[in-house]
Amino acid sequence: MNKLKSKLGVLYPVITAFIICLAILTISRLLLIIWQWDRVTDANGFSEVILSGLRVDVSSLCYLFILPALFSSILSSDTIIGKFWTHILRIWITVSIWLIVYMEAATAPFILEYDLRPNRLFIEYLIYPKEVISMLWGGYKLELFLGGILSVTSIIMGWKASRYMTLNITYQKWYWRPILAIIIVTVGIMGARSSFGHRPLNPALVAFSTDPLVNDLILNSAYSVLFAYKQIGSEVDASKFYPNMDKTEIITEIRNSMNVSPEQFISNTQPSMAAHKATNQSSQKNIVILLLESHGARYVSELGGTNLSPNIDALINEGWAFTRLYASGTRSVRGIEAVTSGFSPTPARSTVKLGKSQNGFFTIADLLQKNGYHTQFVYGGESHFDNMKSFFLGNGFVDMQDLPTFDNPKFIGSWGASDEDLYKHADEQFTQLENDGKPFFSLVFSSSNHSPFEYPDNTIEPYNEPKQTVENAVKYADYALGQFIQKAKKSNYWKNTIFVVVADHDARTWGNQIIPIDHFRIPAIIFGDGIKAKKDNRLVSQLDLAPTLISLAGLNTKNPMLGHDLTLDVPKEKQRAMMQRDKTFAWMTEDNQVVVFLPEQPIQTYKYDYENDHLIKNKVDDAVIKRANANALWGSLAYREGYYKQLENYQLSQ
């Protein structure tokens, strides 16, 4: 070992740290492969994950250690400067080892929650330490404890190891230093790029499976998070990821995909802006959107799921229920974006969090507020979370009814007041607004069905043990909703209000398919006085709800929403669902043709076997691909070009 130390000289500490980190990443990947063995073997991916994973790790570590290697080749010496650099190097090595250990330790809990390695969400959650720490403490104490132990251990051992690495090293002669520096830069850059092509290594280059998690196992978690961070600034434009089209062609396809006649389009500067006449031409109605946290169709027996939602089941049989409605994304902000603005999903963050959409961006709250409605957001937590408050107040909502406005909540968990408290507060608000004689629009967002799944004791018969499981939280969320519905039916606002209950997304979107379609299916029921009971089997998107509610409320408007007014007949060829999962966009037609776009990869086409929830490789009509491509690009184009700007007056001329 001493001979090796002598031969490697000033590079010994860096090379040794490199090997240690590589060993940690390899062991972690092997453990993840063992854990996910069935999915890895289904993809015939063991050797691919190991070899490509080694390539990613070498590239990552080249980025991590190229600078200390370069500075070591120049500065390491038995001088004051050299000794100072040695301390910096020891800190660098220790922090590097800790970072690798910490990120890999965080991987398994993140996979359990999101079925992917840590990515952009990992960064976004860091913005809200209070909520995240509360969530982790409430439901992940063991993981926090183990993570803390591993972090402390890695720092102590890393610091001790770095002392040995830097002790008694041999310093190269001064005239070899420039040559060594050139070699380090050359080898480091080549290793970091890991490619002789015009683009360096990226996740698309090593992806091989239709199972997103298997592709993610090739990466390491530090690389995955840093790559996501790097792309946050540029990801607002889908054309950087999907096949590009001419702007005129995109607009033509978008207009043709809307259930609107050509003469209804009223603007060249806002291409989707159209005149929409309401089906209800009698009295105007209030609108209430009951947005359920993580309540997928798999928890609703009437939709083929587990019997955990008896109140939603009852509502399906007495309201206007959609049996094939799909969420546009996998995050709450994506669901909020869909139901309040009808905006298409993109590979970017939701418009709830993007800079240019914080004011002057179309929402139905703005439309309704300018039509004399009181507009409010009712939420049991802190409304600033996920930038909701900023987005809402800038775009038509005037009243934030969040946790600080609740009087003596019955139960407060990590995410705020319980759903019972939420609906009690909402009922009080609606009663007062009705008494004031002003029409209102309210978005009521639940939170009890969110890890760590906290809810009041003695409210439901637990479905399973321990108490804090997703199934019990779903059952409680349904219980609280049922209590509210019974109260609403007896209220003074019932006859004047159109309600919709809809999930923001499923609890987890996972599986070995390129896009797990059934995990996007969610319950949605429109109900209220005068709404006839029916089960609607059309293919429906979350984006279709807002236009439908506006029509049912009796408002003739101009608006830019692409969604269909479901009170009208929608031709089968125009029925579609669009689903965004991270950078993957999927488009499904009424006859289950599916087009999937992934970053920098060929377009993939499938036939969706609805009964067995399975995607089968299949040729899809070119016209369907073209329309899907246009819709995949539309959201970014509309955001960039300002096509979704608010109007001073949304009312149609009578």
Side-chain angles (χ1 to χ4, degrees), residues 3-25:
K3 286 183 179 180
L4 181 63
K5 200 172 195 179
S6 176
K7 286 183 178 180
L8 294 176
V10 295
L11 293 184
Y12 178 81
V14 175
I15 292 174
T16 305
F18 187 105
I19 292 170
I20 289 171
C21 290
L22 187 63
I24 293 169
L25 291 172

Side-chain angles (χ1 to χ4, degrees), residues 193 195-202 205 240 600:
R193 281 183 55 81
S195 170
F196 291 107
H198 69 285
R199 290 187 178 182
L201 176 72
N202 61 67
L205 197 61
K240 295 183 182 295
E600 302 172 26

Side-chain angles (χ1 to χ4, degrees), residues 526-544:
I526 295 173
F527 63 100
D529 188 64
I531 299 295
K532 294 181 180 179
K534 65 175 175 179
K535 290 184 179 178
D536 194 327
N537 298 320
R538 292 176 292 180
L539 179 64
V540 176
S541 169
Q542 218 174 15
L543 276 65
D544 299 326

Side-chain angles (χ1 to χ4, degrees), residues 602-616:
I603 298 169
Q604 301 193 33
T605 58
Y606 300 87
K607 184 75 174 181
Y608 178 53
D609 180 352
Y610 178 82
E611 295 298 326
N612 297 302
D613 183 32
H614 187 64
L615 286 168
I616 303 163

